[in-house]
């Protein structure tokens, strides 16, 4: 039996481990933290994306549309909370209508159930929404992604998979007769193949394994607020703005969660540490690494003013954050929202300053490296896992 070591215990790593196990491989999962789903998976919006934003034919388009079905089916089979509630994407200005039309065309091309609706029809779903046009997307849902991970861990444990917490990959080298050896500090894991699902540290793990990745991870923090309990009635489901097509982020939106709370956000600011969930989270090493990367300066030249500056201002100003939400739901005021944590997006960037738009998976002998898997990776996790398992089987 071939054995595979998976580095990373988020939803993608655990899904890969489960798919490999189902195919009869012997799997070891290494997670550096003391719990599963500690970073991107445990700090996201818990939205099951439909797949309308992504370029037709891309990994993201194909895997999110298929993943929308497979992750919901998995959740229902294994008792994970999930609700397919649909969402509204709203144009709040006539100038946004061309971009809304483009989204409708992409939805059709990707096989996403979506339709253009009028402002009056939009208010049937969301009585407090303000818009000049809207897109209703039926297959968007909400889920508990950490609970998906717990279900996967339970299945893996029952299958006898070697699951190791507090086990960072500290060094990786090729085995004398092929395969890989991974040093964790307590021992050395010997395997026929390596799958790198290390998220925020995926490029570092790739370099540790001896390959030069085509992109570098640059961390962006997304900060959230939530509506106070007595104002949750303002939002019935999910309300998204029309995104700026030149940026990888969807813009500040409103999301009703499974427990009835309503989250608002996220914004997008450069994090000062790979796992920098607050402005006070600072790593001199991480900042120096980002500052030495020419891609960051090229991106800053393009977006620092006014886009980047506006995001930083919104990070420090509750009033500005509330004003962004009021574009979607005018009744929301500064007094209606309170802080509610943040997440960090592992955004892959190339040396020319371009942001990697699609999932990025690179291979070497006996190795598969997932180098860009931000949203909708959680939605697409089971599909990404099938793709990676195929590559491991072919290696």
């Amino acid at each position: 039996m071939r054995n595979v070591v998976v580095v990373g215990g988020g939803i993608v790593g655990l899904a890969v481990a489960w798919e490999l196990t189902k195919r009869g491989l012997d799997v070891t999962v290494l997670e550096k933290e003391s719990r599963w789903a500690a970073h991107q998976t445990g700090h996201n919006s818990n939205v099951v994306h439909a797949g309308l934003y992504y370029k037709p034919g891309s990994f993201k388009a194909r895997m999110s549309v298929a993943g929308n079905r497979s992750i919901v089916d998995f959740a229902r089979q294994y008792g994970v909370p999930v609700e397919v509630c649909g969402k509204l994407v709203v144009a709040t200005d006539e100038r946004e209508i061309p971009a809304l039309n483009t989204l409708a065309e992409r939805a059709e091309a990707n096989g996403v159930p979506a339709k253009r609706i009028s402002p009056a029809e939009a208010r049937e779903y969301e009585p407090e929404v303000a818009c000049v046009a809207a897109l209703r997307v039926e297959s968007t849902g909400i889920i508990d992604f950490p609970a998906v991970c717990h279900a996967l861990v339970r299945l893996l444990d029952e299958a006898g998979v070697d699951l190791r917490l507090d086990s960072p990959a500290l060094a990786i080298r090729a085995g004398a007769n092929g395969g890989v050896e991974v040093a964790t500090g307590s021992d050395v894991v010997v395997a026929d193949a390596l799958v790198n699902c290390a998220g925020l540290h995926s490029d570092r793990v790739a370099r540790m394994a001896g390959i030069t990745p085509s992109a570098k991870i640059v961390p962006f923090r997304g900060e959230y607020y939530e509506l106070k309990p007595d104002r949750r009635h303002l939002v019935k489901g999910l309300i998204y703005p029309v995104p700026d097509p030149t940026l990888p982020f969807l813009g500040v939106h409103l999301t009703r969660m499974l427990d009835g709370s309503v989250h608002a956000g996220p914004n997008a600011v450069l994090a000062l540490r790979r796992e920098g969930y607050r402005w006070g989270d600072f790593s001199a090493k991480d900042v120096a690494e980002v500052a030495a990367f020419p891609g960051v300066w090229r991106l800053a030249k393009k977006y620092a003013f006014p886009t980047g500056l506006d995001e930083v201002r919104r990070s420090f100003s509750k009033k500005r954050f509330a004003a962004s939400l009021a574009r979607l739901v005018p009744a929301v005021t500064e007094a209606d929202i309170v802080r509610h944590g943040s997440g960090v997006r592992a955004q892959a960037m190339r040396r020319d300053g371009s942001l990697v738009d699609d999932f990025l998976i690179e291979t070497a002998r006996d190795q598969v490296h997932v180098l860009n898997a931000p949203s909708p990776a959680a939605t697409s996790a089971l599909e990404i896992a099938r793709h990676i398992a195929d590559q491991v089987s072919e290696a």
Side-chain angles (χ1 to χ4, degrees):
M1 179 187 294
R2 295 191 73 204
N3 53 78
V4 181
V5 57
V6 177
V7 177
I11 193 169
V12 174
L14 294 170
V16 167
W18 177 233
E19 183 65 27
L20 293 171
T21 299
K22 289 191 295 180
R23 297 189 187 195
L25 280 72
D26 187 13
V27 180
T28 299
V29 183
L30 303 179
E31 167 54 48
K32 71 181 180 69
E33 303 293 354
S34 59
R35 68 187 192 279
W36 305 106
H39 292 295
Q40 289 187 107
T41 307
H43 293 82
N44 69 25
S45 61
N46 283 320
V47 172
V48 180
H49 290 285
L52 78 157
Y53 296 107
Y54 317 116
K55 182 179 178 181
S58 66
F59 277 134
K60 281 188 175 183
R62 291 184 284 112
M63 290 183 177
S64 61
V65 172
N68 177 280
R69 295 188 292 267
S70 62
I71 203 73
V72 169
D73 289 345
F74 179 93
R76 288 172 174 166
Q77 180 177 356
Y78 293 105
V80 174
V82 65
E83 179 185 345
V84 180
C85 54
K87 78 172 181 181
L88 291 180
V89 182
V90 300
T92 58
D93 187 288
E94 295 286 344
R95 291 170 294 183
E96 295 176 337
I97 289 180
L100 187 71
N101 291 337
T102 297
L103 280 184
E105 292 167 1
R106 283 202 167 180
E108 183 176 4
N110 291 339
V112 176
K115 64 178 181 178
R116 275 285 306 270
I117 61 176
S118 68
E121 291 171 317
R123 284 190 289 273
E124 292 178 8
Y125 293 102
E126 295 286 352
E128 299 291 337
V129 77
C131 64
V132 295
L135 191 67
R136 174 66 183 174
V137 186
E138 295 296 343
S139 57
T140 300
I142 48 177
I143 196 170
D144 186 339
F145 280 125
V148 171
C149 291
H150 295 154
L152 285 166
V153 168
R154 184 175 67 251
L155 291 168
L156 291 166
D157 187 52
E158 290 171 355
V161 171
D162 187 1
L163 298 167
R164 304 189 188 186
L165 294 170
D166 298 306
S167 298
L170 301 177
I172 302 171
R173 69 182 182 186
N177 299 307
V180 294
E181 298 176 0
V182 183
T184 67
S186 58
D187 67 352
V188 175
V189 179
V190 179
D192 297 313
L194 164 78
V195 179
N196 167 16
C197 300
L200 286 158
H201 300 277
S202 58
D203 58 336
R204 289 174 172 171
V205 171
R207 288 195 296 272
M208 193 187 303
I211 78 163
T212 302
S214 63
K216 183 178 188 60
I217 296 298
V218 177
F220 284 88
R221 183 172 63 256
E223 299 158 327
Y224 288 88
Y225 282 81
E226 69 173 335
L227 294 187
K228 292 180 177 178
D230 64 342
R231 300 296 280 170
R232 291 174 179 174
H233 66 277
L234 297 175
V235 178
K236 305 298 182 185
L238 282 68
I239 308 173
Y240 280 60
V242 176
D244 183 338
T246 66
L247 297 174
F249 312 109
L250 297 181
V252 170
H253 45 272
L254 291 151
T255 306
R256 178 171 287 276
M257 308 306 292
L258 288 163
D259 64 0
S261 62
V262 178
H263 290 185
N267 62 345
V269 295
L270 186 67
L272 302 180
R273 182 181 173 186
R274 290 270 176 132
E275 295 156 5
Y277 296 102
R278 299 169 296 273
W279 279 109
D281 293 337
F282 177 83
S283 164
K285 173 188 173 183
D286 291 353
V287 170
E289 196 173 289
V290 168
F293 185 58
V296 170
W297 297 102
R298 290 168 180 146
L299 181 76
K301 183 177 180 181
K302 186 175 182 181
Y303 291 117
F305 302 99
T307 303
L309 182 59
D310 286 345
E311 291 292 319
V312 172
R313 286 173 172 169
R314 186 161 55 184
S315 174
F316 286 101
S317 172
K318 182 180 178 183
K319 181 178 181 180
R320 285 179 179 270
F321 209 108
S324 297
L325 300 173
R327 291 185 66 244
L328 307 175
V329 177
V332 173
T333 68
E334 182 181 357
D336 297 330
I337 60 175
V338 293
R339 289 271 185 184
H340 185 79
S342 61
V344 180
R345 176 189 179 107
Q347 177 61 55
M349 183 184 298
R350 302 191 191 277
R351 289 183 66 84
D352 64 2
S354 62
L355 301 178
V356 179
D357 185 51
D358 206 357
F359 297 145
L360 178 62
I361 300 170
E362 297 183 354
T363 61
R365 183 186 175 188
D366 302 324
Q367 300 178 25
V368 180
H369 298 271
V370 183
L371 296 171
N372 192 54
S375 179
T379 297
S380 309
L382 298 175
E383 307 307 315
I384 294 172
R386 292 187 181 102
H387 176 78
I388 290 173
D390 287 343
Q391 292 187 310
V392 171
S393 299
E394 294 169 0

